[in-house]
């Protein structure tokens, strides 16, 4: 695939990838978003009600 190159180790195993961001910038953004979401999957979450209450308290929502 043009614009994507794999780096391999001595055994021929893929160890890294080089992505031409001019050609595949949107692809990189999607990959980055997935990695970011995965890294945060164990973080505590707020309920919609909690978020709504915080926004009301800050005057951002009525």
């Amino acid at each position: 695939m043009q614009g994507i190159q794999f780096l391999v180790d001595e055994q021929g195993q893929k160890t890294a990838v080089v992505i031409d961001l001019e050609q595949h910038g949107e692809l990189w953004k999607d990959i980055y978003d997935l990695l970011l979401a995965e890294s945060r999957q164990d973080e505590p979450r707020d309920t919609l009600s909690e978020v709504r209450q915080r926004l009301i308290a800050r005057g951002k929502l009525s």
Side-chain angles (χ1 to χ4, degrees):
M1 178 179 236
Q2 272 192 322
I4 297 180
Q5 298 175 341
F6 290 98
L7 304 178
V8 296
D9 62 15
E10 296 81 23
Q11 290 80 38
Q13 299 294 313
K14 294 176 184 173
T15 59
V17 66
V18 178
I19 300 172
D20 181 334
L21 295 178
E22 286 195 19
Q23 288 183 357
H24 301 292
E26 290 300 316
L27 173 63
W28 169 246
K29 289 178 187 176
D30 291 342
I31 293 168
Y32 181 77
D33 287 344
L34 287 170
L35 292 171
L36 190 58
E38 184 179 281
S39 74
R40 294 179 173 177
Q41 69 184 2
D42 294 327
E43 290 183 4
R45 292 184 167 92
D46 294 334
T47 65
L48 178 58
S49 176
E50 292 168 331
V51 172
R52 181 174 281 132
Q53 288 174 356
R54 263 199 324 271
L55 291 172
I56 290 170
R58 292 178 184 165
K60 303 286 184 179
L61 189 64
S62 56

